[in-house]
Amino acid sequence: MVAGQIRIEDVVKIFRHHDGQETRALSGIDFTVEAGEFVSLIGPSGCGKSTLLRLIAGLEEANSGALYLDGQKITRPDAQRGLVFQNPYLFPWLTVQANVSFGLKARKVYREKKDEVKKFLHLVGLKDFGQVYPHQLSGGMAQRASLARALINRPRVLLLDEPLGALDAFTRMNMQDEILRIRQEEQITMIMVTHDVDEAIYLSDRIVIMTPGPAKIETVKKVPFPRPRARSYPDFLRLRSDILNILNFGGHLEEPPYQI
Amino acid sequence: MDRLKQWRPLGAIILALALDKYLPDSSQHPPVEEPYLTYALILLALIFGLAPLSRRFSAAFSEKIKEKADFYAVFFLFLNLWNVVTKKYCLLPAIFFPNPDRILSVLVEDYHYLFVDCLGSSAKLLLLGFVSGAAVGLLTGIAVGFSKKAAYWVNPIIRILGPMPPTAWIPIVLVAFPSTFQGAVFLIALSVWFPTTIMTASGILNVQNAFFEVASTLGAGRSYQIFHVGIPAAMPFIFIGIFTGACASFITLMTAEMVGVKNGIGWYINWQRQMLSYANVYAGLIIIALSFYSLITLLFKMRDHVLVWQKGVIKW
Ligand SMILES: Nc1ncnc2c1ncn2[C@@H]1O[C@H](COP(=O)(O)OP(=O)(O)OP(=O)(O)O)[C@@H](O)[C@H]1O
Ligand SMILES: [Mg+2]
């Protein structure tokens, strides 16, 4: 059995503010991500995507309902569930290599697994930058380093919160391919928050579309195309406009279409 | 023009030598056994005369002297002015404003007493107080930064005792400790403890929570997060605390020696002042300036070493 199934069971998350007001960030999310699956979360800003990832990571507690990794209840953060933020949050006082080694050292397995560090630096294309401090990296390089830092623990699940949001379009497409390649090699379940519909279709097995206030799952779309996918494939574009319509960004397409 | 610049200090030194030699001495300044100023100037002339030529052996040294050439030149002119005002024309009361020769003679002739006995005693006091104060300050700062309970109990103490000048405790310390030496160590430790604690705690509280979250999703437990995230991230703050503490400890050291401890460079200055031996007072002040300057420089070097990641100048 491939490990890495996430079961989200009727999860409700309410934030209480200082002034006694409440924000219902998630109201009754029920969903299962199968082991080895790539699932994207997409939805308007503030609808609770990050909150859901943080719950899976164990950084927040649900007010009701529960989350499970391979049947085991999630109660706190763990190296089994890696998280990559939109901001790479590399530790500025450590070199890139030391940043990537952090998880191994924290789990006291560094001695046996030292060679992994080189391997993962290589995997994300930073093998010549091990001795460099984070402030010397470009945005894309920093994000790749933070990906390597999360991957080196070989988590069963990798949670990605808009990891490519801050990157330019070309770096972004390169990174998408990189993520796919890593997933193929490492067989990790991946759950990714994104605002980019193309990115979601290009990467995912399924796309979860969320609605705001109170946050719920609106629709789950299967992406049945084989990989590698072509971004201009007609089915790709049809699915894209489907999703944009659900999100109310479809616009109007008059017949006949514009002449280019 | 630029080539001439590096010779300016030498010019100032030669001017000083010439004036010292050819102007007549005032009779009001007591004579010294040896022309110490002349010796010192000749030594300096050698250094600043050879530095521009030493480029081949030590480029860094020669470059540094060149960069600061104007500063040194002005400094030597000032020394010269002082010599002329005191030794040559005696424009200021000779007893309070001794000439450079007399101060140098104290430094040379009382060398052993000043540098070994007095400076040694001060160094011992400062070192014991500084190290214990910084260590306890780090520990309390870390405790307050990471534990709500520690903050609850320690914060009020810090708020009340912290702003008090440690020297205000002298009357109590003098009777509460078996020896003034121990009392002084305590006071110095206290003056380092406060800023170190405050800056360590606020440094830790200022660490972005995201760093702890990242660490916890990478499998770091509580203590690993404290020692490998909280403390390194707070290092820039901790160093500010230690610097402030070091400066406070210098003040406390001097005061303690002047009013209680019967030894050390501060005590020496006070004693010589009472005997109206102002040449010795100036000698003491010069020693203090040089020692504290060296200590602060050392601290800066340590900081640069620990905080390379912050400076952004390191090349690979
Ligand atoms: N720590 C918190 N305290 C209070 N409210 C919070 C907290 N974290 C999130 N919220 C609220 O929960 C809601 C969902 O936030 P969340 O960050 O999950 O949205 P998101 O879908 O990730 O948005 P975006 O796409 O802009 O990142 C928002 O209304 C937000 O104000
Ligand atoms: Mg978000």
Side-chain angles (χ1 to χ4, degrees):
Chain A
M1 180 197 108
V2 194
Q5 183 213 51
I6 291 283
R7 167 101 197 93
I8 303 162
E9 213 169 78
D10 257 330
V11 163
V12 174
K13 177 68 192 174
I14 298 164
F15 286 110
R16 290 204 170 76
H17 301 270
H18 293 294
D19 54 9
Q21 279 205 332
E22 291 184 347
T23 307
R24 224 175 152 77
L26 297 172
S27 86
I29 302 283
D30 200 284
F31 189 70
T32 302
V33 179
E34 296 305 338
E37 201 180 13
F38 195 119
V39 170
S40 285
L41 304 177
I42 205 163
S45 179
C47 73
K49 305 176 298 288
S50 296
T51 306
L52 185 57
L53 278 203
R54 291 172 60 81
L55 279 155
I56 301 171
L59 294 170
E60 306 275 357
E61 247 179 280
N63 294 76
S64 76
L67 299 101
Y68 302 89
L69 168 62
D70 296 324
Q72 225 169 10
K73 194 167 172 187
I74 294 168
T75 53
R76 60 185 139 91
D78 189 282
Q80 295 288 349
R81 286 162 277 122
L83 177 57
V84 176
F85 296 80
Q86 175 170 9
N87 180 328
Y89 288 118
L90 293 174
F91 302 118
W93 56 91
L94 297 178
T95 59
V96 169
Q97 181 169 341
N99 263 285
V100 174
S101 323
F102 188 93
L104 298 181
K105 287 180 182 157
R107 295 185 300 127
K108 308 204 166 49
V109 294
Y110 181 63
R111 270 224 231 131
E112 306 96 84
K113 304 205 170 174
K114 228 183 217 161
D115 299 338
E116 299 273 280
V117 179
K118 264 214 185 79
K119 187 193 146 188
F120 277 91
L121 278 175
H122 191 87
L123 189 71
V124 297
L126 289 175
K127 67 173 161 35
D128 295 331
F129 293 87
Q131 298 313 316
V132 158
Y133 283 96
H135 66 80
Q136 296 163 299
L137 297 180
S138 72
M141 288 157 87
Q143 197 54 275
R144 280 183 277 155
S146 97
L147 200 60
R149 181 177 63 175
L151 285 168
I152 202 164
N153 278 335
R154 297 181 184 277
R156 282 189 243 172
V157 181
L158 186 65
L159 308 164
L160 302 145
D161 194 350
E162 299 183 50
L164 311 183
L167 306 181
D168 69 272
F170 292 114
T171 316
R172 205 176 163 122
M173 287 192 271
N174 275 331
M175 289 281 291
Q176 290 167 1
D177 288 329
E178 209 141 337
I179 288 173
L180 281 182
R181 192 165 50 83
I182 290 166
R183 196 181 85 100
Q184 199 137 41
E185 278 176 34
E186 307 287 328
Q187 290 298 321
I188 303 173
T189 308
M190 291 193 180
I191 307 176
M192 175 172 188
V193 170
T194 177
H195 282 119
D196 182 342
V197 179
D198 282 5
E199 180 170 282
I201 302 173
Y202 187 70
L203 296 174
S204 316
D205 298 310
R206 282 191 294 165
I207 300 171
V208 175
I209 300 159
M210 294 173 71
T211 53
K216 273 198 182 128
I217 293 176
E218 161 92 28
T219 326
V220 180
K221 282 271 177 199
K222 256 185 121 61
V223 187
F225 318 137
R227 292 188 180 91
R229 293 169 180 169
R231 293 172 210 265
S232 51
Y233 187 64
D235 284 347
F236 191 114
L237 295 178
R238 206 163 303 126
L239 182 58
R240 181 174 187 272
S241 73
D242 255 17
I243 293 173
L244 285 173
N245 273 324
I246 296 170
L247 291 165
N248 292 322
F249 289 117
H252 302 281
L253 192 58
E254 309 274 324
E255 290 289 337
Y258 310 103
Q259 288 283 302
I260 307 168
Chain B
M1 198 59 218
D2 197 49
R3 289 220 348 252
L4 276 181
K5 183 181 165 188
Q6 52 190 324
W7 298 103
R8 283 179 206 162
L10 187 63
I13 294 168
I14 290 170
L15 178 68
L17 272 169
L19 289 182
D20 190 51
K21 186 153 176 53
Y22 294 112
L23 286 180
D25 289 353
S26 148
S27 58
Q28 290 187 43
H29 279 267
V32 289
E33 286 179 21
E34 301 266 350
Y36 291 110
L37 183 64
T38 309
Y39 294 162
L41 287 172
I42 289 173
L43 183 67
L44 288 168
L46 282 176
I47 294 174
F48 282 88
L50 291 178
L53 307 175
S54 72
R55 195 164 315 134
R56 241 185 293 160
F57 309 105
S58 164
F61 173 69
S62 145
E63 203 46 45
K64 202 164 182 174
I65 290 218
K66 188 173 169 186
E67 188 204 325
K68 291 242 164 168
D70 284 342
F71 174 81
Y72 289 122
V74 170
F75 176 74
F76 295 136
L77 286 177
F78 172 77
L79 192 70
N80 195 6
L81 180 72
W82 177 21
N83 193 37
V84 170
V85 165
T86 54
K87 188 170 152 195
K88 300 300 173 186
Y89 294 111
C90 198
L91 299 177
L92 296 164
I95 187 157
F96 298 127
F97 298 96
N99 63 46
D101 261 336
R102 302 244 321 118
I103 296 166
L104 286 170
S105 85
V106 172
L107 284 173
V108 174
E109 285 156 24
D110 283 356
Y111 171 82
H112 192 270
Y113 186 62
L114 274 170
F115 284 91
V116 178
D117 298 342
C118 291
L119 194 60
S121 160
S122 293
K124 197 169 137 201
L125 200 56
L126 188 68
L127 194 72
L128 281 173
F130 182 85
V131 169
S132 50
V136 177
L138 271 176
L139 290 179
T140 27
I142 291 167
V144 169
F146 283 112
S147 148
K148 289 232 165 65
K149 203 160 183 177
Y152 175 87
W153 289 106
V154 180
N155 268 339
I157 301 176
I158 297 176
R159 294 219 180 104
I160 294 169
L161 300 189
M164 278 180 70
T167 44
W169 293 99
I170 285 179
I172 294 166
V173 165
L174 286 180
V175 296
F177 280 84
S179 75
T180 49
F181 184 84
Q182 289 169 11
V185 169
F186 172 77
L187 285 183
I188 292 166
L190 190 64
S191 46
V192 182
W193 170 80
F194 171 60
T196 310
T197 304
I198 290 274
M199 292 314 286
T200 304
S202 48
I204 289 166
L205 292 172
N206 268 307
V207 178
Q208 275 188 75
N209 200 34
F211 284 122
F212 293 111
E213 292 184 346
V214 168
S216 68
T217 60
L218 291 172
R222 176 93 176 136
S223 71
Y224 199 87
Q225 285 180 43
I226 291 176
F227 288 104
H228 291 89
V229 179
I231 294 173
M235 264 305 164
F237 277 73
I238 293 176
F239 262 103
I240 294 173
I242 287 179
F243 270 115
T244 320
C247 295
S249 76
F250 296 161
I251 299 172
T252 311
L253 173 70
M254 285 302 118
T255 318
E257 287 183 341
M258 286 189 183
V259 303
V261 185
K262 293 272 176 292
N263 208 339
I265 206 85
W267 164 80
Y268 176 86
I269 290 175
N270 203 36
W271 172 47
Q272 296 298 332
R273 177 185 63 88
Q274 285 160 0
M275 308 217 308
L276 292 181
S277 313
Y278 268 77
N280 301 57
V281 172
Y282 285 98
L285 289 175
I286 289 171
I287 292 174
I288 291 175
L290 292 179
S291 325
F292 289 174
Y293 165 77
S294 315
L295 288 179
I296 289 289
T297 309
L298 188 71
L299 268 183
F300 266 111
K301 286 256 179 314
M302 276 165 63
R303 185 202 62 173
D304 289 351
H305 182 73
V306 174
L307 297 183
V308 269
W309 55 272
Q310 217 200 4
K311 287 203 307 178
V313 293
I314 192 172
K315 293 270 186 295
W316 73 88

